[in-house]
Amino acid sequence: MLKRIFDFFGKESKTAHVMTSVCPAEETANYVIENGILVSYKVTSDVCLIPEGVTELKRFAINYDRDKIREIVLPSTLCCIREHNFSSCKNLERINFSEGLLEIEAKAFECCKSLRAVSLPKTLRKIGDQAFRGCESLTDLHLNKGLLEIGESAFSGNKSLKEISLPGTIQTLGKNAFTWCQELEQVTV
């Protein structure tokens, strides 16, 4: 479905497309993609399904109804999750990462207080500063072999995290990466 899209100045955009996709809950999610970049996404169900072909998410592309989101499904074409893309999704419980993701920028999943488990793809190389800070319910964290960098305070304030296994590929571990993790009992390198 192709619609006419106008930018903020009233000029017609030649590159924007409004597409419709069917979510697992049989509801329709509307989104706008420009040159592989997801510009906006209207949340219509508890599953946020980012379409295959999207290489990047514009900052705050998913800006409304974040509280509905319980699960995120990311495409294999996505190479980077930008700053604040999913921060403060307070009911988010699960993220389905796909191989191909290289970087999670600062504060991408900050304060996702219901997030319980994170299993990162083998292709991930960098986790930015405060990327998962304040994910209070996180109990299950699987860091991938091949991960090179964990940023400052990346997992700080994760009160429920009990153990961590750092892969031998880590070259940089940022200051305070795991501070305020009161239940943390074991770190394996």
Side-chain angles (χ1 to χ4, degrees):
M1 170 194 293
L2 182 61
K3 292 183 180 179
R4 291 176 38 181
I5 303 293
F6 295 88
D7 67 15
F8 291 110
F9 303 105
K11 288 177 41 183
E12 185 172 358
S13 173
K14 302 281 188 218
T15 59
H17 298 276
V18 175
M19 304 174 84
T20 303
S21 171
V22 179
C23 284
E26 293 301 318
E27 292 185 16
T28 304
N30 295 315
Y31 49 85
V32 177
I33 299 172
E34 292 182 356
N35 301 317
I37 300 170
L38 184 71
V39 176
S40 72
Y41 183 100
K42 182 181 177 189
V43 177
T44 60
S45 79
D46 62 350
V47 178
C48 179
L49 179 62
I50 305 299
E52 206 53 51
V54 170
T55 57
E56 182 181 329
L57 305 173
K58 183 178 176 185
R59 189 173 179 199
F60 296 116
I62 302 162
N63 204 17
Y64 300 101
D65 294 328
R66 287 174 171 235
D67 292 347
K68 284 183 183 178
I69 301 172
R70 293 195 181 285
E71 181 178 2
I72 296 170
V73 180
L74 300 171
S76 62
T77 52
L78 187 67
C79 58
C80 181
I81 298 173
R82 299 284 179 215
E83 186 173 355
H84 292 291
N85 274 156
F86 297 102
S87 60
S88 299
C89 290
K90 69 180 186 179
N91 293 310
L92 177 64
E93 296 172 1
R94 192 164 125 191
I95 307 164
N96 295 308
F97 293 101
S98 291
E99 297 299 324
L101 185 65
L102 299 172
E103 180 178 359
I104 298 173
E105 287 188 355
K107 301 179 182 182
F109 295 99
E110 180 185 41
C111 294
C112 291
K113 297 188 183 293
S114 298
L115 186 61
R116 294 189 177 118
V118 171
S119 186
L120 300 169
K122 291 181 248 177
T123 54
L124 189 70
R125 299 295 175 253
K126 180 180 179 184
I127 298 172
D129 297 345
Q130 303 172 15
F132 291 92
R133 185 183 76 164
C135 296
E136 298 173 352
S137 300
L138 187 63
T139 57
D140 192 9
L141 175 62
H142 295 282
L143 300 173
N144 60 301
K145 187 176 183 180
L147 185 62
L148 302 173
E149 182 178 341
I150 297 176
E152 291 186 16
S153 302
F155 295 95
S156 67
N158 293 347
K159 299 176 184 179
S160 303
L161 195 58
K162 293 185 180 184
E163 62 181 77
I164 303 163
S165 181
L166 295 173
T169 55
I170 293 285
Q171 296 175 357
T172 304
L173 183 60
K175 187 170 97 176
N176 299 320
F178 296 97
T179 58
W180 300 106
C181 296
Q182 291 97 326
E183 297 294 317
L184 188 59
E185 298 169 356
Q186 182 177 349
V187 177
T188 308
V189 181

